[in-house]
Amino acid sequence: MNYSKKYLKEANKFRSSNSSCSGAVCWENPSNIALIKYWGKKGDQLPQNPSLSFTLSNSITKTRVKYNYNESFRNSHISFLVNGEKNKSFEERISKYINKLLMFFPYLKFTELEIDTKNNFPHSAGMASSASAFSALAFCLTDIEYQLLSIKERKNEFFAKASFISRLGSGSAARSAYGGTVLWGKTELIRNSSDEVATPVKVHEVFNDYRDLVLIVDSKSKEISSTAGHELMNNNPYQKVRYKQACQNLEQLMDLMRIGNTKGFSEIVEYEALSLHAMMMTSSPGNLLVKPNTLSVIRKIRKFRADRSIPVAFTLDAGANVHILFPGNHSDDVMKLVKDELLIFCPDREYILNEVGSGPKKIS
Ligand code: DP6
């Protein structure tokens, strides 16, 4: 299926069922943590390799959009509040995004929008917030289109379109459209998978009960934005090998996740995290995003896994903080490890605990 062609065709036929109309929509959308990493893109926000993630339960962006559609409006006005305040850099990124969406959502030309968005996890957490932020906004904008066209709930189509629109804001946001384990990117392993939208995948039940505990070893904002990091892949001498490796890791990981092999899962997930950072280090200029405390935590986690045979694994985002992934039935042991041995590496003894979450939620 060519989604952009389909949505452009629909956009050309756009006629609102009212000449003026106003209302409000609100969505709470989660962030996600990649197990197989998306690092490198092509075309308009298309991934160089398929990626796989867990949707998180507690790291959420809540976005409310008030809209006022009137066919007589021209150059409609948009206002933004981020956590109750004006935010210049976010505003610029969102304005660009909304302009880009005009071809898919012609209604935006005639609509005033008041966007109010809040993250429940602190920006200082250094955790990627673009996935939940773009996902929540994209769900609101898709919902408004459905209201203007008086389309009654058509669940699968709505979620696919919202994932497509999310991706145009931030690639990883495409995956936040669904709960559980989510794939984004075309692969022969999954029928109907696509570079344009994400697809939820079925895995063994043990992985539906996983936890993701993020240790905040460094609360500063990222030294390099993901967008700039993706761009550096274009000149990375190892890029081709990396894209191939990601596909092989995906195939192995999906097999392991289908049969519930938590030990194999840990090995592949850590290999992916280290490969992501290897790509950052071998880009030009090279970026070293891990900190001494990141490495100390990683060593402790590996030792704990070897000593106790508990399938705990680490993964990393494009930063220094460490995500610890483990099955829910080992929570007591892992929390003891965290409190006794790992929080000393976090300057504010800060961590965020997530379960694998159920995905976006519409707030009425
Ligand atoms: C390391 O989705 O933040 O977290 O598409 O430019 O917004 P843009 O990048 P983004 O990149 C995420 C990179 C990553 C890996 C991942 O989430 O797959």
Side-chain angles (χ1 to χ4, degrees):
M1 155 105 78
N2 183 328
Y3 287 89
S4 49
K5 212 162 152 192
K6 170 177 151 85
Y7 296 143
L8 284 173
K9 210 163 146 196
E10 281 172 16
N12 284 334
K13 289 198 233 141
F14 175 81
R15 297 282 174 276
S16 167
S17 40
N18 299 295
S19 57
S20 70
C21 160
S22 59
V25 292
C26 183
W27 282 84
E28 273 186 4
N29 290 39
S31 188
N32 63 75
I33 178 67
L35 309 169
I36 300 292
K37 308 292 182 181
Y38 146 58
W39 199 244
K41 52 173 121 173
K42 58 189 179 190
D44 192 4
Q45 289 283 104
L46 299 169
Q48 287 280 11
N49 62 262
S51 57
L52 191 76
S53 57
F54 278 151
T55 294
L56 303 178
S57 61
N58 296 334
S59 299
I60 303 283
T61 299
K62 179 175 181 175
T63 297
R64 176 181 297 279
V65 180
K66 280 194 197 159
Y67 67 92
N68 186 7
Y69 170 87
N70 192 312
E71 280 174 1
S72 68
F73 287 164
R74 290 291 176 271
N75 300 325
S76 9
H77 180 257
I78 302 169
S79 72
F80 304 94
L81 285 180
V82 182
N83 295 325
E85 290 171 12
K86 290 210 163 288
N87 179 320
K88 195 116 190 70
S89 66
F90 187 72
E91 206 168 309
E92 276 165 18
R93 192 165 173 192
I94 297 293
S95 295
K96 268 198 207 150
Y97 174 58
I98 301 259
N99 276 333
K100 187 166 158 183
L101 293 185
L102 287 174
M103 61 176 160
F104 296 107
F105 286 151
Y107 80 83
L108 286 170
K109 278 182 231 150
F110 314 108
T111 309
E112 289 178 347
L113 299 174
E114 248 180 79
I115 303 171
D116 189 351
T117 186
K118 288 189 181 70
N119 280 346
N120 77 344
F121 51 104
H123 183 62
S124 63
M127 255 178 80
S129 53
S130 68
S132 54
F134 279 99
S135 174
L137 181 56
F139 271 69
C140 288
L141 297 176
T142 310
D143 201 353
I144 294 171
E145 185 198 46
Y146 268 50
Q147 292 189 12
L148 290 172
L149 293 176
S150 302
I151 302 176
K152 298 281 166 272
E153 188 71 352
R154 281 191 288 160
K155 210 164 182 273
N156 293 348
E157 286 184 27
F158 175 84
F159 279 79
K161 183 152 191 184
S163 173
F164 176 94
I165 296 293
S166 308
R167 188 200 93 234
L168 297 175
S170 177
S172 54
R175 298 187 307 243
S176 283
Y178 301 99
T181 305
V182 184
L183 169 81
W184 167 44
K186 179 103 195 109
T187 163
E188 279 161 17
L189 305 171
I190 295 282
R191 217 160 51 93
N192 297 332
S193 57
S194 163
D195 283 348
E196 294 185 287
V197 300
T199 319
V201 294
K202 279 213 175 78
V203 291
H204 188 278
E205 60 189 356
V206 69
F207 293 107
N208 297 330
D209 188 38
Y210 251 61
R211 305 288 185 267
D212 172 32
L213 188 147
V214 195
L215 286 172
I216 313 298
V217 302
D218 180 25
S219 63
K220 293 194 202 72
S221 295
K222 289 182 183 174
E223 286 165 32
I224 173 172
S225 72
S226 298
T227 307
H230 287 289
E231 216 170 296
L232 288 175
M233 278 303 279
N234 296 331
N235 289 317
N236 187 303
Y238 305 107
Q239 57 165 312
K240 294 254 153 57
V241 188
R242 162 60 198 156
Y243 302 143
K244 196 166 160 209
Q245 175 207 39
C247 295
Q248 288 164 347
N249 284 347
L250 175 72
E251 184 164 3
Q252 281 191 45
L253 188 67
M254 297 237 317
D255 284 346
L256 294 163
M257 289 182 80
R258 278 199 197 99
I259 58 171
N261 184 333
T262 54
K263 185 170 176 282
F265 169 91
S266 301
E267 281 161 19
I268 302 277
V269 164
E270 293 190 354
Y271 184 33
E272 270 293 305
L274 296 177
S275 299
L276 168 71
H277 280 256
M279 289 303 105
M280 290 180 209
M281 289 181 208
T282 51
S283 287
S284 174
N287 288 290
L288 190 55
L289 302 185
V290 289
K291 298 275 167 342
N293 282 348
T294 312
L295 302 180
S296 302
V297 168
I298 287 176
R299 289 216 168 84
K300 291 266 181 194
I301 290 172
R302 286 191 156 176
K303 183 165 187 315
F304 177 83
R305 181 165 73 233
D307 290 351
R308 303 281 304 273
S309 298
I310 290 179
V312 40
F314 71 84
T315 188
L316 303 165
D317 208 337
N321 295 326
V322 186
H323 291 246
I324 310 179
L325 299 166
F326 54 95
N329 61 342
H330 290 295
S331 288
D332 289 348
D333 288 323
V334 178
M335 286 315 295
K336 188 163 164 31
L337 167 78
V338 167
K339 290 187 174 145
D340 293 351
E341 295 189 48
L342 301 182
L343 284 184
I344 49 164
F345 299 110
C346 304
D348 299 319
R349 296 184 69 78
E350 198 184 348
Y351 68 89
I352 300 174
L353 182 60
N354 276 278
E355 297 179 8
V356 173
S358 55
K361 214 163 80 193
K362 182 168 171 154
I363 310 294
S364 48

